[in-house]
Amino acid sequence: VDPLRIFGSGALVATVPADALDDCLEDLADAGAEAAEIGTVQGLEGGEPELLLDGESITDPIEDDLYPLWEAADADD
């Protein structure tokens, strides 16, 4: 199973205004949650937004590799 294609239980990716980043990271640390800045959002000059992951352009929603298991479990109910 590709670990980059599994939804993280309890994981969160959030966009935070740059001027609130330090306070946000501090608040999360105070709450015992590990957090890190992983990137920035930059303005686009027209066109569609693009997600790059290790140089690969991601254009379709990423489907969790475990999704078929959840579908099978739902079908059994």
Side-chain angles (χ1 to χ4, degrees), residues 62-75:
I62 296 173
E63 188 174 290
D64 187 322
D65 281 351
L66 296 179
Y67 191 75
L69 295 175
W70 301 122
E71 283 184 325
D74 284 343

Side-chain angles (χ1 to χ4, degrees), residues 40-52:
T40 59
V41 175
Q42 299 181 3
L44 297 173
E45 295 182 23
E48 293 292 318
E50 181 180 23
L51 171 63
L52 293 175

Side-chain angles (χ1 to χ4, degrees), residues 15-49:
T15 56
V16 177
D19 62 350
L21 177 62
D22 290 336
D23 289 338
C24 182
L25 291 173
E26 184 178 319
D27 289 345
L28 289 166
D30 289 346
E34 292 183 35
E37 177 184 0
I38 62 169
T40 59
V41 175
Q42 299 181 3
L44 297 173
E45 295 182 23
E48 293 292 318

Side-chain angles (χ1 to χ4, degrees), residues 1-22:
V1 174
D2 181 349
L4 295 176
R5 295 181 54 87
I6 296 177
F7 294 137
S9 297
L12 171 70
V13 176
T15 56
V16 177
D19 62 350
L21 177 62
D22 290 336

